[in-house]
Amino acid sequence: GLRWRDAPNDYGPHKTLYNRFIRWSKMGVFNEIFSRLTAEGDPPDTLMIDATHLKAPAGFQSAKKGDVPRRIGRTKGGLNSKLHAIVDGQGRPVMMCLTDGQTSDHIGAKILYPALPENAKVLIGDKGYDSDDYRAALKAKGITPCIPPRRGRKSPATYCKTLYKQRHKVENMFGRLKDWRRVATRYDRCAHTFFSAILIAAIVIYWL
């Protein structure tokens, strides 16, 4: 959350630092670092999924047609983006994606689904992920869903309440990410720079 000009002088001119950050962000350097670090650990057998809103200043607007994607949407809480994440059994983020604020949890889950670890055995999620299609898709990968059924379901699925208590780990992860001021409130207009800041925070907190 600090200004670029507050960086130590040993790092060089702050304008050079900013330009390098933007260039590396567009090239996907931070995505690659995050992916390689998460791949070094043992394949997780337990996963947890959730999403959280990240507020954007009132002056931000959604990108016009043809502009660089901003992933900013309008909800009841105002302008914001939505971070979808999957964490392992230790509460460390292994997969993340950024969408518009009004994007449903199911769409975020579909985006992350193709890259789910092959060795995963259980996925824990809240009622927002309760659907027959998503449950069937998880079972097709050999993953047992631990998702409580929504109220009013004609044939509610069963789940392990003891295992479900671990879901707080993904909430804790979001809380630690939001300790970083630049993540808690979005100041980057371009989605790729904001997502790079999120990845850097996750790398420093959990993978270094």
Side-chain angles (χ1 to χ4, degrees):
L2 298 177
R3 301 174 301 173
W4 287 103
R5 66 177 65 252
D6 295 329
N9 294 330
D10 293 344
Y11 292 171
H14 68 273
K15 184 64 175 178
T16 302
L17 290 176
Y18 173 76
N19 289 336
R20 184 178 296 123
F21 171 73
I22 298 298
R23 184 169 65 253
W24 286 6
S25 177
K26 290 180 178 179
M27 293 169 59
V29 172
F30 302 106
N31 300 59
E32 184 68 18
I33 293 173
F34 178 78
S35 298
R36 293 198 180 192
L37 287 174
T38 56
E40 288 180 358
D42 295 331
D45 56 359
T46 301
L47 302 173
M48 284 152 270
I49 186 172
D50 205 354
T52 187
H53 286 98
L54 303 171
K55 291 187 177 296
F60 278 25
Q61 296 295 331
S62 298
K64 298 179 181 178
K65 188 175 181 180
D67 288 349
V68 176
R70 295 185 181 174
R71 304 286 184 250
I72 299 175
R74 186 177 296 277
T75 63
K76 293 181 180 179
L79 294 176
N80 52 54
S81 300
K82 197 169 189 178
L83 178 65
H84 306 264
I86 291 179
V87 305
D88 61 14
Q90 300 180 49
R92 301 176 300 181
V94 294
M95 299 169 59
M96 295 190 292
C97 72
L98 190 69
T99 65
D100 300 344
Q102 74 274 14
T103 303
S104 70
D105 290 350
H106 276 288
I107 293 178
K110 288 181 180 179
I111 295 173
L112 297 173
Y113 175 80
L116 287 175
E118 296 181 357
N119 294 338
K121 297 179 180 178
V122 178
L123 184 138
I124 305 172
D126 60 22
K127 294 180 180 180
Y129 299 94
D130 176 36
S131 72
D132 294 336
D133 290 342
Y134 191 52
R135 290 179 183 275
L138 290 174
K139 291 179 180 178
K141 278 183 173 283
I143 301 174
T144 301
C146 182
I147 303 172
R150 290 172 294 171
R151 184 179 299 178
R153 293 267 283 178
K154 293 182 179 179
S155 55
T158 59
Y159 71 102
C160 179
K161 294 183 179 180
T162 301
L163 186 61
Y164 184 73
K165 292 180 180 180
Q166 296 188 35
R167 201 189 70 84
H168 69 89
K169 294 179 182 178
V170 66
E171 300 284 0
N172 295 346
M173 186 276 296
F174 285 138
R176 292 191 66 183
L177 283 183
K178 290 182 179 181
D179 283 341
W180 288 48
R181 179 169 172 262
R182 187 168 180 174
V183 175
T185 301
R186 176 172 175 170
Y187 296 100
D188 300 281
R189 289 188 179 273
C190 295
H192 67 84
T193 55
F194 181 52
F195 190 58
S196 292
I198 295 173
L199 291 175
I200 291 173
I203 290 169
V204 172
I205 296 172
Y206 290 100
W207 295 106
L208 291 183

